[in-house]
């Protein structure tokens, strides 16, 4: 049987109730009329899923640019769900948890995976600690890093977890090494229908553990390359007919494995040196508890100088001493200045908006 968006797997259940394709119309209206606010988005998506169009309009998060609406083919969403199911060996009848907002692509894709793969999907409000409002155990779940961090005491109730929306910090990776849950960091964007590659961050085997920890491995039917800037080019014909050119700087290991280094649009050119903020930030995680990022501000001598922004207040002199003690830093990676910002700007779904935060800071100094 061909798996298309016009069919629902016979094993699919939503909140414990078996749902057919024909049922989706009634279910969606019920969620919109009688459901909680977060369930309205689920109902609206299901209505879009069963309408006569072969495409869905979704909006990007805005973390790497201006938020915008884009059109995605429903069959491409099905193909993405099948690829994830193949990679993670998800089976019909397994229990899954939706704790992400269905307003965005990550939440929508959890619904598609459940409908196509025949998962038994429970839906809870997308709170910071979603496992605190359900007593069930789950075979599969997707979270953002903030939700994982707030669920560490209960995360063993999930067998396989994918984490996206932002990078998992080094400190959080250390904290999940002892949990039984197999955790993957995802790589992708709205345009790639969430992730096209996964990287295991814990439970790595001795054999090939370096690859597990450092490299993203692509889903089935996805290959990757690099352009002249050193940025990732994604070839995924089952989810996008044309190659997808990204602004993500990578080390390419093979056509199906890569190491992510940072964003090309974040790279700082200071006195002719190219500094990758994400790589520098990874070295700072162990000594800074608040949210932070490094960025460039104009400098007459260097063109740009690298500085550190921290959310909230901090003892700058103490921090400077700690930074100077990090042995892995070279002298060019130590920020020239440290600025404290009361609150960072973030996108609607909680991602840090670097460019907007920086722009607001620079405007305040004029």
């Amino acid at each position: 049987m061909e798996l298309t968006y016009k069919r629902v797997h016979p094993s699919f259940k939503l909140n414990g109730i078996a749902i057919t394709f024909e049922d989706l119309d009634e279910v969606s209206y019920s969620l919109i009329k009688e459901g909680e606010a977060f369930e309205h988005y689920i109902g609206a998506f299901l209505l879009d899923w069963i309408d006569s169009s072969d495409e869905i309009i979704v909006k990007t998060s805005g973390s790497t640019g201006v938020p915008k609406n884009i059109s995605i083919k429903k069959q491409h969403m099905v193909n993405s769900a099948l690829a994830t199911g193949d990679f993670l060996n998800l089976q019909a009848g397994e229990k899954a948890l939706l704790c992400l907002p269905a307003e965005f692509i990550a939440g929508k894709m959890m619904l598609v995976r459940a409908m196509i793969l025949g998962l038994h999907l429970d839906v809870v409000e997308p709170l910071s600690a979603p496992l605190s409002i359900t007593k069930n155990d789950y075979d599969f779940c997707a979270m953002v890093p903030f939700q994982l961090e707030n669920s560490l005491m209960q995360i063993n109730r999930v067998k396989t977890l994918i984490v996206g929306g932002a990078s998992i910090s080094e400190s959080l990776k250390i904290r999940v090494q002892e949990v039984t849950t197999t955790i993957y960091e995802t790589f992708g964007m709205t345009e790639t229908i969430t992730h096209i590659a996964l990287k295991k961050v814990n439970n790595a085997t001795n054999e090939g553990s370096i690859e597990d920890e450092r490299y993203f491995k692509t889903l089935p039917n996805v290959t990757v390359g690099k352009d002249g800037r050193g940025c990732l080019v994604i070839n995924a014909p089952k989810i996008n007919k044309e190659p997808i050119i990204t602004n993500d700087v990578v080390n390419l290991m093979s056509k199906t494995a890569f190491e992510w280094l940072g964003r090309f649009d974040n790279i700082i050119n200071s006195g002719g040196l190219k500094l990758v903020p994400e790589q520098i930030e990874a070295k700072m995680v162990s000594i800074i508890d608040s949210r932070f990022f490094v960025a460039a501000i104009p400098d007459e001598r260097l063109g740009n100088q690298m500085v550190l922004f921290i959310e909230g207040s901090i003892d700058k002199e103490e921090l400077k001493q700690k930074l100077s003690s990090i042995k892995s830093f070279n002298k060019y990676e130590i920020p020239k200045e440290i600025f404290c910002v009361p609150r960072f700007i973030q996108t609607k779904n909680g991602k840090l908006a670097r460019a907007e935060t920086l722009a607001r800071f620079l405007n305040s100094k004029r």
Side-chain angles (χ1 to χ4, degrees), residues 5 7 9 12 45-46 49 56 74-82 105-119 121 193:
Y5 65 90
R7 293 193 174 109
H9 195 288
F12 171 56
F45 171 70
L46 294 178
W49 188 254
I56 288 276
K74 293 175 183 176
Q75 189 58 43
H76 289 173
M77 298 173 78
V78 171
N79 295 341
S80 174
L82 292 171
I105 187 65
K108 297 180 196 296
M109 280 306 301
M110 282 298 293
L111 289 161
V112 175
R113 293 177 195 124
M115 290 189 290
I116 296 302
L117 302 176
L119 303 177
L121 185 68
I193 314 180

PDB file of all heavy atoms in Angstrom, residues 5 7 9 12 45-46 49 56 74-82 105-119 121 193:
ATOM      1  N   TYR A   5      -0.515  11.176   1.928  1.00  0.00           N
ATOM      2  CA  TYR A   5      -1.174  12.038   2.909  1.00  0.00           C
ATOM      3  C   TYR A   5      -2.678  11.845   2.923  1.00  0.00           C
ATOM      4  O   TYR A   5      -3.378  12.371   3.795  1.00  0.00           O
ATOM      5  CB  TYR A   5      -0.818  13.505   2.640  1.00  0.00           C
ATOM      6  CG  TYR A   5      -1.329  14.057   1.325  1.00  0.00           C
ATOM      7  CD1 TYR A   5      -2.582  14.657   1.229  1.00  0.00           C
ATOM      8  CD2 TYR A   5      -0.549  13.983   0.173  1.00  0.00           C
ATOM      9  CE1 TYR A   5      -3.048  15.176   0.027  1.00  0.00           C
ATOM     10  CE2 TYR A   5      -0.999  14.493  -1.028  1.00  0.00           C
ATOM     11  CZ  TYR A   5      -2.253  15.093  -1.101  1.00  0.00           C
ATOM     12  OH  TYR A   5      -2.701  15.591  -2.293  1.00  0.00           O
ATOM     13  N   ARG A   7      -4.084   8.996   3.391  1.00  0.00           N
ATOM     14  CA  ARG A   7      -4.370   7.823   4.210  1.00  0.00           C
ATOM     15  C   ARG A   7      -3.785   7.999   5.603  1.00  0.00           C
ATOM     16  O   ARG A   7      -2.767   8.674   5.776  1.00  0.00           O
ATOM     17  CB  ARG A   7      -3.779   6.551   3.573  1.00  0.00           C
ATOM     18  CG  ARG A   7      -4.434   6.131   2.257  1.00  0.00           C
ATOM     19  CD  ARG A   7      -4.006   4.721   1.897  1.00  0.00           C
ATOM     20  NE  ARG A   7      -4.716   4.249   0.725  1.00  0.00           N
ATOM     21  CZ  ARG A   7      -4.162   4.081  -0.466  1.00  0.00           C
ATOM     22  NH1 ARG A   7      -2.884   4.339  -0.626  1.00  0.00           N
ATOM     23  NH2 ARG A   7      -4.869   3.644  -1.488  1.00  0.00           N
ATOM     24  N   HIS A   9      -2.518   5.616   8.953  1.00  0.00           N
ATOM     25  CA  HIS A   9      -2.174   4.248   9.341  1.00  0.00           C
ATOM     26  C   HIS A   9      -3.273   3.677  10.248  1.00  0.00           C
ATOM     27  O   HIS A   9      -3.753   4.373  11.150  1.00  0.00           O
ATOM     28  CB  HIS A   9      -0.832   4.251  10.076  1.00  0.00           C
ATOM     29  CG  HIS A   9      -0.202   2.921  10.206  1.00  0.00           C
ATOM     30  ND1 HIS A   9      -0.687   1.943  11.058  1.00  0.00           N
ATOM     31  CD2 HIS A   9       0.889   2.370   9.588  1.00  0.00           C
ATOM     32  CE1 HIS A   9       0.062   0.867  10.975  1.00  0.00           C
ATOM     33  NE2 HIS A   9       1.020   1.094  10.083  1.00  0.00           N
ATOM     34  N   PHE A  12      -2.983   4.206  14.084  1.00  0.00           N
ATOM     35  CA  PHE A  12      -2.884   5.551  14.658  1.00  0.00           C
ATOM     36  C   PHE A  12      -3.933   5.790  15.731  1.00  0.00           C
ATOM     37  O   PHE A  12      -5.124   5.494  15.563  1.00  0.00           O
ATOM     38  CB  PHE A  12      -3.045   6.597  13.552  1.00  0.00           C
ATOM     39  CG  PHE A  12      -3.183   8.009  14.036  1.00  0.00           C
ATOM     40  CD1 PHE A  12      -2.219   8.582  14.854  1.00  0.00           C
ATOM     41  CD2 PHE A  12      -4.289   8.777  13.673  1.00  0.00           C
ATOM     42  CE1 PHE A  12      -2.340   9.892  15.310  1.00  0.00           C
ATOM     43  CE2 PHE A  12      -4.428  10.090  14.119  1.00  0.00           C
ATOM     44  CZ  PHE A  12      -3.451  10.643  14.937  1.00  0.00           C
ATOM     45  N   PHE A  45      -4.354  22.564  11.904  1.00  0.00           N
ATOM     46  CA  PHE A  45      -3.460  21.812  11.026  1.00  0.00           C
ATOM     47  C   PHE A  45      -4.161  20.603  10.425  1.00  0.00           C
ATOM     48  O   PHE A  45      -4.016  20.320   9.229  1.00  0.00           O
ATOM     49  CB  PHE A  45      -2.213  21.360  11.787  1.00  0.00           C
ATOM     50  CG  PHE A  45      -1.367  20.395  11.004  1.00  0.00           C
ATOM     51  CD1 PHE A  45      -0.654  20.822   9.896  1.00  0.00           C
ATOM     52  CD2 PHE A  45      -1.318  19.051  11.341  1.00  0.00           C
ATOM     53  CE1 PHE A  45       0.111  19.934   9.139  1.00  0.00           C
ATOM     54  CE2 PHE A  45      -0.568  18.154  10.606  1.00  0.00           C
ATOM     55  CZ  PHE A  45       0.150  18.600   9.491  1.00  0.00           C
ATOM     56  N   LEU A  46      -4.916  19.877  11.231  1.00  0.00           N
ATOM     57  CA  LEU A  46      -5.613  18.700  10.716  1.00  0.00           C
ATOM     58  C   LEU A  46      -6.624  19.080   9.640  1.00  0.00           C
ATOM     59  O   LEU A  46      -6.800  18.353   8.647  1.00  0.00           O
ATOM     60  CB  LEU A  46      -6.300  17.944  11.857  1.00  0.00           C
ATOM     61  CG  LEU A  46      -5.359  17.298  12.883  1.00  0.00           C
ATOM     62  CD1 LEU A  46      -6.157  16.627  13.993  1.00  0.00           C
ATOM     63  CD2 LEU A  46      -4.414  16.293  12.223  1.00  0.00           C
ATOM     64  N   TRP A  49      -4.677  19.572   6.622  1.00  0.00           N
ATOM     65  CA  TRP A  49      -4.149  18.283   6.135  1.00  0.00           C
ATOM     66  C   TRP A  49      -5.165  17.547   5.257  1.00  0.00           C
ATOM     67  O   TRP A  49      -4.795  16.870   4.298  1.00  0.00           O
ATOM     68  CB  TRP A  49      -3.749  17.418   7.327  1.00  0.00           C
ATOM     69  CG  TRP A  49      -3.015  16.163   6.955  1.00  0.00           C
ATOM     70  CD1 TRP A  49      -3.497  14.887   6.972  1.00  0.00           C
ATOM     71  CD2 TRP A  49      -1.669  16.051   6.496  1.00  0.00           C
ATOM     72  NE1 TRP A  49      -2.539  13.998   6.558  1.00  0.00           N
ATOM     73  CE2 TRP A  49      -1.401  14.688   6.259  1.00  0.00           C
ATOM     74  CE3 TRP A  49      -0.657  16.990   6.260  1.00  0.00           C
ATOM     75  CZ2 TRP A  49      -0.165  14.232   5.812  1.00  0.00           C
ATOM     76  CZ3 TRP A  49       0.574  16.536   5.807  1.00  0.00           C
ATOM     77  CH2 TRP A  49       0.806  15.176   5.591  1.00  0.00           C
ATOM     78  N   ILE A  56       0.816  22.535   2.266  1.00  0.00           N
ATOM     79  CA  ILE A  56       0.531  23.151   3.565  1.00  0.00           C
ATOM     80  C   ILE A  56       1.342  24.441   3.653  1.00  0.00           C
ATOM     81  O   ILE A  56       2.515  24.464   3.267  1.00  0.00           O
ATOM     82  CB  ILE A  56       0.937  22.212   4.722  1.00  0.00           C
ATOM     83  CG1 ILE A  56      -0.032  21.043   4.827  1.00  0.00           C
ATOM     84  CG2 ILE A  56       1.030  22.962   6.037  1.00  0.00           C
ATOM     85  CD1 ILE A  56      -1.284  21.323   5.616  1.00  0.00           C
ATOM     86  N   LYS A  74       2.446  18.184   1.004  1.00  0.00           N
ATOM     87  CA  LYS A  74       2.059  17.213   2.031  1.00  0.00           C
ATOM     88  C   LYS A  74       2.783  15.879   1.841  1.00  0.00           C
ATOM     89  O   LYS A  74       3.190  15.239   2.814  1.00  0.00           O
ATOM     90  CB  LYS A  74       0.545  17.006   2.003  1.00  0.00           C
ATOM     91  CG  LYS A  74      -0.255  18.229   2.415  1.00  0.00           C
ATOM     92  CD  LYS A  74      -1.749  17.998   2.249  1.00  0.00           C
ATOM     93  CE  LYS A  74      -2.545  19.246   2.594  1.00  0.00           C
ATOM     94  NZ  LYS A  74      -4.004  19.080   2.354  1.00  0.00           N
ATOM     95  N   GLN A  75       2.952  15.459   0.579  1.00  0.00           N
ATOM     96  CA  GLN A  75       3.631  14.187   0.349  1.00  0.00           C
ATOM     97  C   GLN A  75       5.092  14.255   0.790  1.00  0.00           C
ATOM     98  O   GLN A  75       5.654  13.259   1.251  1.00  0.00           O
ATOM     99  CB  GLN A  75       3.546  13.790  -1.126  1.00  0.00           C
ATOM    100  CG  GLN A  75       4.038  12.374  -1.414  1.00  0.00           C
ATOM    101  CD  GLN A  75       3.287  11.304  -0.619  1.00  0.00           C
ATOM    102  OE1 GLN A  75       2.060  11.374  -0.503  1.00  0.00           O
ATOM    103  NE2 GLN A  75       4.007  10.333  -0.073  1.00  0.00           N
ATOM    104  N   HIS A  76       5.708  15.425   0.678  1.00  0.00           N
ATOM    105  CA  HIS A  76       7.079  15.585   1.167  1.00  0.00           C
ATOM    106  C   HIS A  76       7.129  15.449   2.689  1.00  0.00           C
ATOM    107  O   HIS A  76       8.100  14.919   3.240  1.00  0.00           O
ATOM    108  CB  HIS A  76       7.644  16.933   0.732  1.00  0.00           C
ATOM    109  CG  HIS A  76       7.939  17.008  -0.733  1.00  0.00           C
ATOM    110  ND1 HIS A  76       8.317  18.182  -1.366  1.00  0.00           N
ATOM    111  CD2 HIS A  76       7.927  16.053  -1.696  1.00  0.00           C
ATOM    112  CE1 HIS A  76       8.519  17.947  -2.650  1.00  0.00           C
ATOM    113  NE2 HIS A  76       8.280  16.669  -2.875  1.00  0.00           N
ATOM    114  N   MET A  77       6.084  15.906   3.366  1.00  0.00           N
ATOM    115  CA  MET A  77       6.011  15.730   4.822  1.00  0.00           C
ATOM    116  C   MET A  77       5.879  14.253   5.170  1.00  0.00           C
ATOM    117  O   MET A  77       6.474  13.765   6.139  1.00  0.00           O
ATOM    118  CB  MET A  77       4.841  16.537   5.394  1.00  0.00           C
ATOM    119  CG  MET A  77       4.978  18.040   5.181  1.00  0.00           C
ATOM    120  SD  MET A  77       3.519  18.999   5.671  1.00  0.00           S
ATOM    121  CE  MET A  77       3.717  19.027   7.465  1.00  0.00           C
ATOM    122  N   VAL A  78       5.100  13.531   4.366  1.00  0.00           N
ATOM    123  CA  VAL A  78       4.981  12.073   4.547  1.00  0.00           C
ATOM    124  C   VAL A  78       6.340  11.407   4.363  1.00  0.00           C
ATOM    125  O   VAL A  78       6.752  10.554   5.158  1.00  0.00           O
ATOM    126  CB  VAL A  78       3.954  11.486   3.553  1.00  0.00           C
ATOM    127  CG1 VAL A  78       3.996   9.960   3.582  1.00  0.00           C
ATOM    128  CG2 VAL A  78       2.555  11.984   3.873  1.00  0.00           C
ATOM    129  N   ASN A  79       7.059  11.800   3.306  1.00  0.00           N
ATOM    130  CA  ASN A  79       8.377  11.219   3.036  1.00  0.00           C
ATOM    131  C   ASN A  79       9.348  11.489   4.174  1.00  0.00           C
ATOM    132  O   ASN A  79      10.157  10.621   4.541  1.00  0.00           O
ATOM    133  CB  ASN A  79       8.942  11.776   1.727  1.00  0.00           C
ATOM    134  CG  ASN A  79       8.125  11.371   0.513  1.00  0.00           C
ATOM    135  OD1 ASN A  79       7.351  10.419   0.563  1.00  0.00           O
ATOM    136  ND2 ASN A  79       8.270  12.095  -0.578  1.00  0.00           N
ATOM    137  N   SER A  80       9.289  12.695   4.744  1.00  0.00           N
ATOM    138  CA  SER A  80      10.136  13.029   5.889  1.00  0.00           C
ATOM    139  C   SER A  80       9.803  12.148   7.085  1.00  0.00           C
ATOM    140  O   SER A  80      10.701  11.649   7.781  1.00  0.00           O
ATOM    141  CB  SER A  80       9.962  14.508   6.261  1.00  0.00           C
ATOM    142  OG  SER A  80      10.659  14.822   7.450  1.00  0.00           O
ATOM    143  N   ALA A  81       8.506  11.941   7.341  1.00  0.00           N
ATOM    144  CA  ALA A  81       8.079  11.094   8.455  1.00  0.00           C
ATOM    145  C   ALA A  81       8.584   9.662   8.273  1.00  0.00           C
ATOM    146  O   ALA A  81       9.059   9.024   9.228  1.00  0.00           O
ATOM    147  CB  ALA A  81       6.558  11.105   8.566  1.00  0.00           C
ATOM    148  N   LEU A  82       8.506   9.152   7.058  1.00  0.00           N
ATOM    149  CA  LEU A  82       8.974   7.789   6.781  1.00  0.00           C
ATOM    150  C   LEU A  82      10.479   7.672   6.996  1.00  0.00           C
ATOM    151  O   LEU A  82      10.965   6.665   7.528  1.00  0.00           O
ATOM    152  CB  LEU A  82       8.612   7.396   5.346  1.00  0.00           C
ATOM    153  CG  LEU A  82       7.116   7.217   5.054  1.00  0.00           C
ATOM    154  CD1 LEU A  82       6.879   7.054   3.556  1.00  0.00           C
ATOM    155  CD2 LEU A  82       6.563   6.015   5.811  1.00  0.00           C
ATOM    156  N   ILE A 105       6.469  23.928  12.487  1.00  0.00           N
ATOM    157  CA  ILE A 105       6.684  22.703  11.718  1.00  0.00           C
ATOM    158  C   ILE A 105       7.046  21.507  12.597  1.00  0.00           C
ATOM    159  O   ILE A 105       6.617  20.390  12.319  1.00  0.00           O
ATOM    160  CB  ILE A 105       7.775  22.937  10.631  1.00  0.00           C
ATOM    161  CG1 ILE A 105       7.900  21.724   9.699  1.00  0.00           C
ATOM    162  CG2 ILE A 105       9.106  23.285  11.260  1.00  0.00           C
ATOM    163  CD1 ILE A 105       6.674  21.466   8.860  1.00  0.00           C
ATOM    164  N   ALA A 106       7.813  21.711  13.677  1.00  0.00           N
ATOM    165  CA  ALA A 106       8.218  20.578  14.513  1.00  0.00           C
ATOM    166  C   ALA A 106       7.014  19.896  15.145  1.00  0.00           C
ATOM    167  O   ALA A 106       6.944  18.661  15.203  1.00  0.00           O
ATOM    168  CB  ALA A 106       9.195  21.043  15.595  1.00  0.00           C
ATOM    169  N   GLY A 107       6.051  20.695  15.620  1.00  0.00           N
ATOM    170  CA  GLY A 107       4.845  20.117  16.188  1.00  0.00           C
ATOM    171  C   GLY A 107       3.969  19.469  15.130  1.00  0.00           C
ATOM    172  O   GLY A 107       3.410  18.387  15.340  1.00  0.00           O
ATOM    173  N   LYS A 108       3.858  20.109  13.981  1.00  0.00           N
ATOM    174  CA  LYS A 108       3.070  19.540  12.886  1.00  0.00           C
ATOM    175  C   LYS A 108       3.630  18.186  12.464  1.00  0.00           C
ATOM    176  O   LYS A 108       2.879  17.230  12.205  1.00  0.00           O
ATOM    177  CB  LYS A 108       3.066  20.496  11.688  1.00  0.00           C
ATOM    178  CG  LYS A 108       2.421  21.855  11.930  1.00  0.00           C
ATOM    179  CD  LYS A 108       2.474  22.709  10.673  1.00  0.00           C
ATOM    180  CE  LYS A 108       2.204  24.173  10.963  1.00  0.00           C
ATOM    181  NZ  LYS A 108       0.863  24.442  11.476  1.00  0.00           N
ATOM    182  N   MET A 109       4.965  18.082  12.414  1.00  0.00           N
ATOM    183  CA  MET A 109       5.575  16.836  11.954  1.00  0.00           C
ATOM    184  C   MET A 109       5.398  15.695  12.956  1.00  0.00           C
ATOM    185  O   MET A 109       5.366  14.530  12.561  1.00  0.00           O
ATOM    186  CB  MET A 109       7.057  17.044  11.632  1.00  0.00           C
ATOM    187  CG  MET A 109       7.310  17.684  10.280  1.00  0.00           C
ATOM    188  SD  MET A 109       6.513  16.812   8.897  1.00  0.00           S
ATOM    189  CE  MET A 109       7.245  15.174   9.041  1.00  0.00           C
ATOM    190  N   MET A 110       5.269  15.984  14.237  1.00  0.00           N
ATOM    191  CA  MET A 110       4.965  14.919  15.193  1.00  0.00           C
ATOM    192  C   MET A 110       3.582  14.331  14.892  1.00  0.00           C
ATOM    193  O   MET A 110       3.375  13.116  14.994  1.00  0.00           O
ATOM    194  CB  MET A 110       5.030  15.443  16.624  1.00  0.00           C
ATOM    195  CG  MET A 110       6.435  15.603  17.162  1.00  0.00           C
ATOM    196  SD  MET A 110       7.384  14.045  17.240  1.00  0.00           S
ATOM    197  CE  MET A 110       6.474  13.148  18.511  1.00  0.00           C
ATOM    198  N   LEU A 111       2.633  15.174  14.508  1.00  0.00           N
ATOM    199  CA  LEU A 111       1.318  14.685  14.109  1.00  0.00           C
ATOM    200  C   LEU A 111       1.392  13.844  12.843  1.00  0.00           C
ATOM    201  O   LEU A 111       0.779  12.766  12.755  1.00  0.00           O
ATOM    202  CB  LEU A 111       0.371  15.870  13.896  1.00  0.00           C
ATOM    203  CG  LEU A 111      -0.078  16.604  15.162  1.00  0.00           C
ATOM    204  CD1 LEU A 111      -0.609  17.994  14.822  1.00  0.00           C
ATOM    205  CD2 LEU A 111      -1.145  15.804  15.901  1.00  0.00           C
ATOM    206  N   VAL A 112       2.177  14.308  11.864  1.00  0.00           N
ATOM    207  CA  VAL A 112       2.302  13.570  10.606  1.00  0.00           C
ATOM    208  C   VAL A 112       2.970  12.215  10.851  1.00  0.00           C
ATOM    209  O   VAL A 112       2.522  11.178  10.322  1.00  0.00           O
ATOM    210  CB  VAL A 112       3.092  14.390   9.570  1.00  0.00           C
ATOM    211  CG1 VAL A 112       3.327  13.569   8.296  1.00  0.00           C
ATOM    212  CG2 VAL A 112       2.354  15.675   9.234  1.00  0.00           C
ATOM    213  N   ARG A 113       4.031  12.200  11.652  1.00  0.00           N
ATOM    214  CA  ARG A 113       4.700  10.922  11.944  1.00  0.00           C
ATOM    215  C   ARG A 113       3.734   9.933  12.591  1.00  0.00           C
ATOM    216  O   ARG A 113       3.733   8.749  12.259  1.00  0.00           O
ATOM    217  CB  ARG A 113       5.907  11.164  12.858  1.00  0.00           C
ATOM    218  CG  ARG A 113       7.037  11.941  12.196  1.00  0.00           C
ATOM    219  CD  ARG A 113       8.172  12.213  13.167  1.00  0.00           C
ATOM    220  NE  ARG A 113       9.068  13.237  12.624  1.00  0.00           N
ATOM    221  CZ  ARG A 113       9.382  14.371  13.230  1.00  0.00           C
ATOM    222  NH1 ARG A 113       8.900  14.642  14.450  1.00  0.00           N
ATOM    223  NH2 ARG A 113      10.181  15.249  12.658  1.00  0.00           N
ATOM    224  N   ALA A 114       2.942  10.431  13.523  1.00  0.00           N
ATOM    225  CA  ALA A 114       1.988   9.541  14.201  1.00  0.00           C
ATOM    226  C   ALA A 114       0.956   8.996  13.218  1.00  0.00           C
ATOM    227  O   ALA A 114       0.652   7.789  13.222  1.00  0.00           O
ATOM    228  CB  ALA A 114       1.310  10.290  15.341  1.00  0.00           C
ATOM    229  N   MET A 115       0.409   9.865  12.363  1.00  0.00           N
ATOM    230  CA  MET A 115      -0.612   9.429  11.411  1.00  0.00           C
ATOM    231  C   MET A 115      -0.060   8.465  10.378  1.00  0.00           C
ATOM    232  O   MET A 115      -0.723   7.498   9.990  1.00  0.00           O
ATOM    233  CB  MET A 115      -1.221  10.653  10.710  1.00  0.00           C
ATOM    234  CG  MET A 115      -2.092  11.521  11.605  1.00  0.00           C
ATOM    235  SD  MET A 115      -3.003  12.794  10.711  1.00  0.00           S
ATOM    236  CE  MET A 115      -1.682  13.914  10.214  1.00  0.00           C
ATOM    237  N   ILE A 116       1.148   8.700   9.907  1.00  0.00           N
ATOM    238  CA  ILE A 116       1.726   7.891   8.831  1.00  0.00           C
ATOM    239  C   ILE A 116       2.339   6.594   9.352  1.00  0.00           C
ATOM    240  O   ILE A 116       2.220   5.532   8.728  1.00  0.00           O
ATOM    241  CB  ILE A 116       2.777   8.708   8.060  1.00  0.00           C
ATOM    242  CG1 ILE A 116       2.118   9.905   7.374  1.00  0.00           C
ATOM    243  CG2 ILE A 116       3.511   7.841   7.036  1.00  0.00           C
ATOM    244  CD1 ILE A 116       1.000   9.542   6.408  1.00  0.00           C
ATOM    245  N   LEU A 117       3.005   6.661  10.523  1.00  0.00           N
ATOM    246  CA  LEU A 117       3.697   5.489  11.065  1.00  0.00           C
ATOM    247  C   LEU A 117       2.811   4.661  11.983  1.00  0.00           C
ATOM    248  O   LEU A 117       3.197   3.557  12.380  1.00  0.00           O
ATOM    249  CB  LEU A 117       4.953   5.933  11.832  1.00  0.00           C
ATOM    250  CG  LEU A 117       5.983   6.732  11.035  1.00  0.00           C
ATOM    251  CD1 LEU A 117       7.111   7.193  11.951  1.00  0.00           C
ATOM    252  CD2 LEU A 117       6.545   5.902   9.885  1.00  0.00           C
ATOM    253  N   GLY A 118       1.628   5.161  12.344  1.00  0.00           N
ATOM    254  CA  GLY A 118       0.729   4.407  13.206  1.00  0.00           C
ATOM    255  C   GLY A 118       1.103   4.464  14.669  1.00  0.00           C
ATOM    256  O   GLY A 118       0.940   3.491  15.405  1.00  0.00           O
ATOM    257  N   LEU A 119       1.601   5.612  15.113  1.00  0.00           N
ATOM    258  CA  LEU A 119       1.977   5.758  16.518  1.00  0.00           C
ATOM    259  C   LEU A 119       0.750   6.099  17.356  1.00  0.00           C
ATOM    260  O   LEU A 119      -0.242   6.637  16.857  1.00  0.00           O
ATOM    261  CB  LEU A 119       3.026   6.872  16.662  1.00  0.00           C
ATOM    262  CG  LEU A 119       4.299   6.722  15.847  1.00  0.00           C
ATOM    263  CD1 LEU A 119       5.201   7.934  16.041  1.00  0.00           C
ATOM    264  CD2 LEU A 119       5.040   5.443  16.203  1.00  0.00           C
ATOM    265  N   LEU A 121      -0.327   8.580  19.802  1.00  0.00           N
ATOM    266  CA  LEU A 121       0.171   9.901  20.160  1.00  0.00           C
ATOM    267  C   LEU A 121      -0.650  10.527  21.281  1.00  0.00           C
ATOM    268  O   LEU A 121      -1.871  10.681  21.168  1.00  0.00           O
ATOM    269  CB  LEU A 121       0.132  10.821  18.936  1.00  0.00           C
ATOM    270  CG  LEU A 121       0.730  12.220  19.103  1.00  0.00           C
ATOM    271  CD1 LEU A 121       2.243  12.136  19.274  1.00  0.00           C
ATOM    272  CD2 LEU A 121       0.383  13.110  17.903  1.00  0.00           C
ATOM    273  N   ILE A 193      11.661  20.582   6.206  1.00  0.00           N
ATOM    274  CA  ILE A 193      10.590  19.853   6.920  1.00  0.00           C
ATOM    275  C   ILE A 193      11.183  19.238   8.176  1.00  0.00           C
ATOM    276  O   ILE A 193      11.207  18.034   8.366  1.00  0.00           O
ATOM    277  CB  ILE A 193       9.920  18.799   6.006  1.00  0.00           C
ATOM    278  CG1 ILE A 193       9.608  19.405   4.637  1.00  0.00           C
ATOM    279  CG2 ILE A 193       8.644  18.286   6.660  1.00  0.00           C
ATOM    280  CD1 ILE A 193       8.954  18.438   3.664  1.00  0.00           C
TER     281      ILE A 193
END
